[in-house]
Every structure is written in structure tokens, then in C-alpha cells.
Amino acid sequence: SQRPQTGYAALGLDKYPAQRFKIIVAYDGTDFKGWQRQSGTKLSTVQGEIEKAFFAVLRRNITISGCSRTDTGVHARGQVFTCDIPWPSNRSSDLLRALRDRLPPSILPRSLTPVHFNFSSKQSVAKLYKYYINEGLRSSPFSTRYVYTMGKHKNRLNLDKMRKAASYLEGIHNFSRFGVLENEIEKRSPIKVFNR
């Protein structure tokens, strides 16, 4: 007798060619050890959770490629990543809904769009960092995860000195001495532009 199909074939996805998708994701990074999957550990990362959700949907290991990494506790409103999977491009909304159903509440894929294979999430990365500081003793419980509260610090913020210090960061800088490129894929330009 013929064995029943399981996994990928049972879903009927083996008949579709690979398609590249661009996904924009928002997440609260408080409970994660950064973006990048940590091989050989049980540490929870954003990439790891998303790849687990893909496996739950597709019953197949999928590797995603993020536009950049974030550190422990960093949040994102619109981080881009890509993945190549055999899925019908006219059913993108079904895949987006399935991913959302299998991810924790702290991770939300906002959009999922088919793109050309030439598209890379690493091509045009611009980051905007925002830091929220409360000079008071306590922050609202609704914002405490996103605001640094100074509490009982004796010194207050000196905005004039902060602005002057930040002005030294503006412009074009070469950061080649600050990192080691691990492989050919990561050989992006160390020249960065900082705007106000």
C-alpha cells in the first residue's frame, strides 16, 4: 500500500518553485537575547522564534536573513528580513496570518511581500535609534520597558553637552577597525553616514 504523504508534500507545497519574500517585523526585544539565532544554545532570539514559526507552518527548516542584528533587549518597529520558500505568491496573506498565529505576542510580522531574487534585506539599511529617558523617580508601568528612568541619580541630563557630544558622530565615518567580517556575505562597506 502507498504510504501517506507527510510534511511538505502533504501541504502540497512541493509543486511550487521557490519564491523570495520580504517580511517587515516589529518586536519587543525585552525577553530576547538579540536578533540572531544562537546555535547550540537554548537562548531565545527573534530570528530563532521566527524560524520556529516557519517550521510549524511549513514543516520544513527555513533560514531567514535579517537586514542587521540587534542586541539583547533592543526593540524594532520595522526590521526587514527575507526568506526563500516554495509558496504561491498570490497567497501571501495566508502565510502572513499563519506566521502571526504561531509567534509569541511580542513578535508581529507586519507585512509579507513577494520580491525578486535580486532583493537583499542587507542592501539598503538605514537605522533610526530612539532613546527615551525619564528624569523622574518612576516611569508609567505602560512604558517602563521602553524608557530609561534616572530615578535617584543626583546629576540631571545636560542637554547642551549631549548635543555637542552627538555632533561629533554626524557625518561619514569608517568603522573597519571596529569589527571582523565573518564571511563573504557579510562584507558590507564599513563606511557609514550618521545623520541628525
Side-chain angles (χ1 to χ4, degrees), residues 164-173 175 193-195:
K164 183 176 181 181
S167 71
Y168 294 116
L169 297 174
E170 291 179 39
I172 301 172
H173 302 281
F175 288 91
V193 179
F194 284 77
N195 297 314

Side-chain angles (χ1 to χ4, degrees), residues 30-131:
T30 304
D31 300 324
F32 299 107
K33 298 297 182 186
W35 165 267
Q36 189 173 9
R37 178 187 354 96
Q38 304 289 325
S39 299
T41 73
K42 293 185 177 181
L43 296 176
S44 182
T45 67
V46 179
Q47 179 182 8
E49 290 299 316
I50 294 171
E51 289 177 348
K52 280 197 291 188
F54 267 116
F55 185 84
V57 173
L58 303 171
R59 301 177 199 163
R60 182 179 196 176
N61 288 320
I62 299 294
T63 299
I64 65 175
S65 176
C67 63
S68 64
R69 304 170 186 173
T70 56
D71 293 328
T72 298
V74 174
H75 317 296
R77 289 186 176 174
Q79 185 159 343
V80 177
F81 70 88
T82 57
C83 59
D84 299 337
I85 54 174
W87 186 274
S89 58
N90 63 347
R91 289 181 52 204
S92 301
S93 60
D94 294 338
L95 181 56
L96 179 62
R97 189 166 42 253
L99 277 179
R100 286 176 173 170
D101 288 346
R102 287 160 180 84
L103 283 165
S106 51
I107 302 176
L108 175 68
R110 294 171 57 186
S111 65
L112 186 147
T113 312
V115 292
H116 193 275
F117 274 105
N118 288 341
F119 178 84
S120 168
S121 59
K122 294 178 171 60
Q123 281 174 338
S124 55
V125 178
K127 299 179 187 179
L128 172 64
Y129 287 93
K130 290 187 178 182
Y131 298 90

